[in-house]
């Protein structure tokens, strides 16, 4: 009998599953578990569901994948009934959606909120996982699913005097739940990644003065966001299954609605290319990066695309010096391209200044603000938009011990090693969702989440049918998977800059390209083959 909403568990009465995280991955894993009569408890450190969308409440937070694609496909009635209001959904609406899913599928009673998973230990004598929470609760389970998210541990650089600031201070990835009032305030913001680029136009419109501290300029493409086109919605809803299937054939699991173009930049002359870039610019969003087939792999092609964006910046920002400072020079796309509404235009406002900290790093945070290049800047409110310890940060914060007491931190001391981004050798019955080695952040996260969870649940069914106690990735399969992933990444332009994909934004983090960059369709094919061929690369035990 399933132990639905079982408050505790024991070695003799274990849960089937402990799921860590109640974001989109955890919610779907729980829904699938309950649907197949498996007992499961979700541990969630936040006060409610939503994961990324629970924590990232900064002004302007919005998804860069379009609403009709950034949603679950597993339930036809859900996708027919839910209505998005904008082309790109804003954080409050996405959070409403997560809450709707939790209620619709009666998931909440199985989720422990405000509960941090502190340690997880594999007990070899009984093949169970023992999970202890920071509150002191203990759970025993046969399996663990780590639905901990890729961008769920904030990166707060160790600036000298970081905690000395006496005004209001916030990190975009851990934004307060109460409204923040910028009226009449002098605001400083450190960082110019997606979070900053989304929030700057909104903050600038309501504060007295905004100073942006930029170390590396980013490429940002206009979203051209607006109310969702109801005819488009109805057309998709009439054949939502086909639309989802088409998207699954796309490299990143989304974008099937966009015009297809498989040609090289060099197939067109300058005016033809510019027209093509312009068309994609007008469509808006992440699709700009794939205006041509070779902008991600050929440096010269990439530079042509990059120069197009730089010319857009120069054509938008009226002060030439500020415009040049905003022009990125790294490979376009090697840091994740941003999607904005009026970002570059905001630098034309009289109350916004840009300060480069590239050559003159922030010297220290002071009680009144910060010092860079010998100048003290005073603020009422300081925002750290300094990103995340991505993909591994949250997993490594938990004391996870596998076979022989080896910790995940030891196992991954030279960088994360997984098989298929789903399993870790030495850690039986322990699955990661959209972790390192998965297409994860290079794909539509919800599409990848559904695929991972479906694969895991099929695996559990197989184990039940075979009456096997454990499944574990082999060391060889894992190291081969990492080598294959690295080889694909080496053939791209991704490793050419210091991105969070490489862990390069966190001092001391091993420099490894973490996501699988072979594309969602080929990843799915590999996973399906592994399943069909009886799970090569895994060992089962009784
Ligand atoms: O973080 P980031 P983010 N001194 O790491 C700067 C997703 N997301 O939160 O580039 C000075 O991109 C750092 O500078 P540099 C999306 O996948 C999605 O903005 O390291 N500056 C950089 O400018 C995104 O990629 C959406 O030189 C310092 C900034 O801080 C990911 O989350 C919206 C510094 C950090 O940028 C992360 O985005 C928002 C220092 N010591 C986020 N340390 C969607 O649209 C760091 N910086 C769905």
């Amino acid at each position: 009998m399933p132990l639905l909403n079982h408050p505790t568990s024991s070695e003799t009465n274990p849960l089937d599953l402990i799921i860590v995280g109640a974001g989109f991955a955890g919610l779907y894993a729980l829904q699938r578990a309950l649907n197949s009569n498996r007992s499961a408890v979700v541990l969630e450190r936040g006060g409610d569901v939503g994961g990324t969308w629970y924590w990232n409440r900064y002004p302007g937070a919005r998804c860069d994948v379009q609403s009709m694609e950034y949603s679950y496909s597993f339930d036809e009635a859900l996708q027919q009934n839910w209505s998005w209001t904008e082309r790109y959904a804003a954080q409050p609406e996405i959070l409403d959606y997560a809450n709707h899913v939790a209620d619709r599928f009666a998931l909440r009673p199985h989720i422990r909120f405000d509960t941090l998973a502190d340690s997880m230990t594999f007990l070899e004598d009984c093949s169970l996982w023992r999970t202890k929470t920071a509150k002191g609760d203990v759970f025993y389970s046969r399996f663990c699913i780590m639905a901990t998210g890729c961008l769920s541990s904030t990166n707060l650089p160790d600036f000298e005097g970081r905690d000395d600031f006496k005004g209001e201070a916030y990190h975009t990835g851990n934004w307060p739940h109460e409204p923040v009032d910028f009226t009449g305030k002098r605001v400083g913001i450190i960082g110019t990644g997606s979070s900053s680029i989304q929030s700057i136009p909104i903050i600038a419109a309501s504060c007295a003065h905004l100073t942006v501290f930029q170390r590396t300029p980013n490429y940002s493409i206009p979203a051209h966001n607006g109310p969702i086109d109801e005819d488009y919605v109805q057309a998709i809803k009439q054949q939502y299954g086909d639309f989802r299937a088409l998207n699954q054939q796309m490299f990143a699991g989304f974008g099937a609605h966009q015009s297809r173009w498989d040609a090289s930049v060099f197939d067109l002359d300058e005016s033809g290319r510019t027209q093509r870039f312009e068309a994609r610019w007008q469509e808006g969003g992440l699709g700009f990066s794939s205006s041509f087939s070779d902008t991600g792999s050929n440096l010269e092609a990439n530079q042509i695309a990059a120069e197009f964006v730089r010319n857009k910046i120069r054509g938008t920002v009226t002060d030439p010096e500020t415009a040049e400072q905003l022009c990125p020079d790294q490979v376009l796309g090697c840091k994740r391209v941003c999607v904005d509404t009026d970002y570059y235009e905001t630098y034309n406002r009289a109350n916004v200044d840009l300060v480069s900290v590239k050559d003159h790093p922030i010297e220290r945070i002071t009680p009144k603000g910060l010092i860079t290049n010998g100048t003290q800047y005073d603020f009422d409110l300081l925002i750290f938009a300094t990103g995340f310890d991505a993909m591994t940060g949250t997993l490594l914060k938990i004391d996870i011990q596998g076979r022989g007491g080896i910790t995940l931190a030891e196992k991954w001391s030279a960088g994360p090693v997984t098989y298929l981004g789903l399993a870790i050798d030495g850690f039986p019955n322990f699955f990661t969702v959209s972790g390192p080695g998965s297409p994860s952040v290079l794909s539509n996260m919800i599409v990848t989440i559904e695929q991972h969870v479906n694969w895991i649940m099929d695996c559990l069914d197989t184990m039940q049918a075979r009456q096997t106690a454990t499944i574990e990735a082999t060391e060889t399969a894992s190291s081969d998977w990492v080598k294959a992933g690295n080889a694909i990444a080496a053939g791209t332009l991704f490793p050419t800059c210091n991105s969070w994909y490489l862990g390069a934004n966190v001092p001391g983090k091993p420099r490894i390209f973490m996501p699988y960059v072979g594309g969602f369709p080929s990843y799915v094919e590999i996973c399906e083959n592994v399943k069909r061929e009886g799970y090569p690369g895994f060992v089962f035990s009784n």
Side-chain angles (χ1 to χ4, degrees):
M1 282 291 289
L3 301 170
L4 295 183
N5 197 22
H6 198 269
T8 54
S9 58
S10 66
E11 280 184 74
T12 50
N13 193 15
L15 296 160
D16 289 319
L17 281 160
I18 275 289
I19 299 165
V20 184
F24 282 117
L27 291 179
Y28 182 50
L30 177 60
Q31 191 275 345
R32 283 293 316 264
L34 299 178
N35 229 12
S36 54
N37 276 343
R38 293 193 161 93
S39 54
V41 167
V42 176
L43 305 178
E44 167 55 57
R45 90 184 144 101
D48 211 333
V49 299
T52 288
W53 303 104
Y54 174 84
W55 297 103
N56 286 267
R57 297 164 180 253
Y58 58 84
R62 188 179 291 286
C63 190
D64 56 6
V65 174
Q66 294 195 27
S67 312
M68 294 305 286
E69 287 149 89
Y70 192 81
S71 52
Y72 289 120
S73 66
F74 71 85
D75 187 87
E76 180 61 16
L78 169 67
Q79 64 182 6
Q80 289 297 336
N81 295 352
W82 183 262
S83 301
W84 297 103
T85 61
E86 291 178 278
R87 186 176 179 209
Y88 293 94
Q91 175 269 337
E93 193 166 67
I94 301 175
L95 193 57
D96 284 350
Y97 176 71
N99 276 281
H100 172 77
V101 170
D103 293 333
R104 185 177 183 113
F105 297 99
L107 303 179
R108 266 177 221 287
H110 309 275
I111 306 173
R112 298 294 189 93
F113 294 109
D114 301 308
T115 303
L116 186 73
D118 200 32
S119 72
M120 305 175 82
T121 308
F122 184 66
L123 308 174
E124 292 191 59
D125 52 347
C126 53
S127 294
L128 292 178
W129 281 92
R130 183 184 62 216
T131 301
K132 292 186 180 170
T133 73
K135 290 175 174 170
D137 294 326
V138 180
F139 296 91
Y140 292 85
S141 65
R142 288 191 61 208
F143 298 94
C144 297
I145 297 184
M146 305 306 286
T148 40
C150 295
L151 298 161
S152 44
S153 280
T154 53
N155 171 42
L156 195 50
D158 195 13
F159 295 116
E160 197 184 329
R162 193 184 66 194
D163 303 326
D164 292 351
F165 183 62
K166 298 284 184 232
E168 297 168 71
Y170 307 112
H171 191 291
T172 44
N174 194 6
W175 196 259
H177 289 214
E178 305 73 39
V180 174
D181 185 8
F182 298 102
T183 318
K185 290 180 185 160
R186 298 160 303 164
V187 180
I189 186 164
I190 303 171
T192 48
S194 293
S195 304
S196 186
I197 282 176
Q198 288 186 330
S199 55
I200 280 171
I202 294 172
I203 296 169
S206 62
C207 71
H209 191 273
L210 177 66
T211 311
V212 180
F213 295 92
Q214 170 188 270
R215 187 164 66 183
T216 310
N218 249 313
Y219 296 92
S220 192
I221 314 297
H224 299 307
N225 188 36
I228 203 158
D229 177 345
E230 272 311 315
D231 292 340
Y232 173 70
V233 170
Q234 288 318 317
I236 287 178
K237 285 193 172 177
Q238 276 167 26
Q239 36 87 48
Y240 222 146
D242 295 343
F243 181 68
R244 301 286 194 189
L246 271 179
N247 274 305
Q248 299 220 356
Q249 298 309 312
M250 303 299 291
F251 186 86
F254 70 99
H257 60 276
Q258 264 184 321
S259 51
R260 301 294 290 271
W261 183 259
D262 295 326
S264 154
V265 167
F266 305 107
D267 289 345
L268 296 182
D269 62 14
E270 196 180 335
S271 113
R273 277 172 206 156
T274 305
Q275 264 184 32
R276 172 75 197 160
F277 282 131
E278 185 62 36
R280 272 290 163 97
W281 186 268
Q282 294 310 330
E283 277 182 54
L286 292 173
F288 179 83
S289 311
S290 50
S291 301
F292 291 93
S293 60
D294 47 0
T295 49
S297 54
N298 179 303
L299 187 57
E300 208 184 326
N302 187 281
Q303 283 173 351
I304 293 170
E307 187 61 9
F308 179 90
V309 180
R310 285 191 286 266
N311 284 333
K312 284 289 185 188
I313 298 170
R314 292 174 186 127
T316 306
V317 178
T318 47
D319 174 49
E321 201 182 318
T322 306
E324 279 317 308
Q325 276 190 356
L326 286 166
C327 284
D329 62 6
Q330 71 271 17
V331 157
L332 181 139
C334 89
K335 283 175 188 261
R336 189 182 172 100
V337 166
C338 306
V339 176
D340 72 277
T341 298
D342 295 338
Y343 175 61
Y344 295 117
E345 291 81 349
T346 299
Y347 290 93
N348 295 334
R349 295 179 64 103
N351 69 335
V352 177
D353 285 327
L354 179 67
V355 175
S356 174
V357 293
K358 183 170 176 235
D359 298 325
H360 304 283
I362 291 167
E363 285 161 37
R364 59 170 296 134
I365 308 290
T366 66
K368 288 183 165 181
L370 63 79
I371 300 176
T372 170
N373 199 15
T375 305
Q376 161 81 42
Y377 293 84
D378 290 352
F379 306 111
D380 303 303
L381 196 153
L382 185 57
I383 299 171
F384 295 88
T386 45
F388 299 89
D389 182 355
M391 302 198 75
T392 56
T394 303
L395 287 167
L396 292 176
K397 274 186 190 162
I398 306 170
D399 177 17
I400 301 170
Q401 291 190 22
R403 265 191 212 288
I406 188 162
T407 65
L408 189 62
E410 287 162 347
K411 185 89 192 169
W412 284 3
S413 57
V417 179
T418 69
Y419 180 37
L420 304 174
L422 286 163
I424 303 162
D425 79 279
F427 296 75
N429 291 359
F430 186 90
F431 297 101
T432 50
V433 179
S434 64
S438 146
S440 70
V441 290
L442 297 179
S443 67
N444 179 346
M445 290 297 279
I446 300 194
V447 169
T448 298
I449 283 167
E450 288 190 326
Q451 184 274 342
H452 283 25
V453 170
N454 290 341
W455 191 94
I456 293 166
M457 292 300 163
D458 288 349
C459 178
L460 300 194
D461 288 346
T462 302
M463 289 179 71
Q464 198 170 342
R466 290 187 190 178
Q467 298 202 320
T468 51
T470 63
I471 179 171
E472 187 175 347
T474 67
E475 200 174 339
T476 310
S478 308
S479 79
D480 286 352
W481 182 249
V482 173
K483 278 186 211 145
N486 286 342
I488 305 171
T492 70
L493 298 173
F494 275 115
T496 59
C497 70
N498 292 328
S499 67
W500 58 258
Y501 295 137
L502 280 161
N505 63 328
V506 176
K509 194 165 169 172
R511 192 182 172 98
I512 302 279
F513 194 81
M514 293 183 285
Y516 173 80
V517 69
F520 181 75
S522 68
Y523 173 81
V524 174
E525 193 182 333
I526 294 167
C527 289
E528 287 304 300
N529 285 342
V530 167
K531 192 164 71 181
R532 198 174 312 115
E533 290 164 14
Y535 297 91
F538 288 97
V539 284
F540 292 90
S541 81
N542 295 320

